[in-house]
Amino acid sequence: MIELDDVDRRILRELVADATQSASALGRKLGLSQPATWRRVKRLYDTGVIKGQRMDLDREKLGFGVSVFLGIKLATKGRVSLDDFERAVSAIPEVQSVEHILGVYDYRLRVVARDISDFERVLRRRIMTLPGVGDVEANVLLSEERRPGPIG
Amino acid sequence: MIELDDVDRRILRELVADATQSASALGRKLGLSQPATWRRVKRLYDTGVIKGQRMDLDREKLGFGVSVFLGIKLATKGRVSLDDFERAVSAIPEVQSVEHILGVYDYRLRVVARDISDFERVLRRRIMTLPGVGDVEANVLLSEERRPGPIG
DNA sequence: CTTGAAAAGAACTGCCT
DNA sequence: AGGCAGTTCTTTTCAAG
């Protein structure tokens, strides 16, 4: 874990709100010069606090209007089973995220599809044929809100 | 839904892999000039296919090593109940995402905390006191893999 | 930390094919 | 659509206080 001062946290909060602003614009808000701000941002990248930047795409405009969350229980849960499952699931392009979890289910997948019948195809041909799959629970995404989350 | 040609899809695939690359670097890979590439990227922003860029922070390095997914059923489900719930949940800083879903649960929350006892505090003081909360299911995140998802 | 400056590169504009 | 040339802005790295 990395020690951050108050200025670093304000920088992170600003960048989470708008990732595209320049070091000089950022410095103006914080009362810092452009080089000082730039060095701090670079340090946040170098220490790994900032892992990078992700494109935020509109999946609906790309023709993928359906997102479904799947909770999956494995029938067998040895180390090999987990590795096999993860390797197989990584080959499915419709899977947007794979979360290994501890609780009622073993994995949570976020799957996107063009429509419900396209989702049925993915479910039957891709998901249900994954190695070791047991119970599957599905929840269809209606709407979502992303929030910045705590910084410090 | 928006019509994209093959070049646009290659641009999106490149940008999903690395959101920070410049228009000239992108153009070199595609055999396009810098202005031509830039105009295409701008058009992807203007049409809303690219919604923006998000900072990808390392929550562990920020001291928030615990992520938990909560499935929540509401006891009462009128329109007012949903609005009340969403408004109240938006005021909790530890909540990273709020997903309104259709299925076994009504909402799925992603909650981050410093450790398990910190998570217990959030759960008891913040989550369980939300208006209309019925059943709650919890899954602790062990590891996750994000994948690009389908473009076209 | 600051200011100032300089060089490189990226973003943006207008014009022409 | 795409390319070329040019302008403006940001990034990145200095030196000096």
Side-chain angles (χ1 to χ4, degrees), chain B residues 16 30 32 41 56 60 65 75 78 93 103-104 108-109 113 124 139-140:
Chain B
V16 167
L30 305 173
L32 276 183
V41 173
D56 193 10
E60 289 202 17
V104 185
R108 230 182 55 86
L109 307 183
R124 294 171 78 131
N139 290 299
V140 178

Side-chain angles (χ1 to χ4, degrees), chain A residues 2 31 35 44 52 74 102 105 139:
Chain A
I2 279 145
L44 291 169
L74 293 190
L102 185 67
Y105 291 92
N139 290 300

Side-chain angles (χ1 to χ4, degrees), chain A residues 22-23 34 38:
Chain A
S22 68
Q34 185 272 333
W38 182 83

Side-chain angles (χ1 to χ4, degrees), chain B residues 4 11 17 19 21-22 24 36 46 51 83-84 88 91 100-101 104 106-107 118 120 124 126-127 130-131 137 143 146:
Chain B
L4 301 178
I11 287 176
Q21 60 192 312
S22 67
S24 60
D46 290 345
K51 286 196 275 190
D83 289 351
D84 282 353
H100 186 197
I101 57 179
V104 185
D106 296 310
Y107 286 95
D118 185 41
E120 191 191 2
R124 294 171 78 131
R126 300 287 190 177
I127 306 295
L130 286 169
E137 177 203 84
S143 67
R146 282 167 195 260

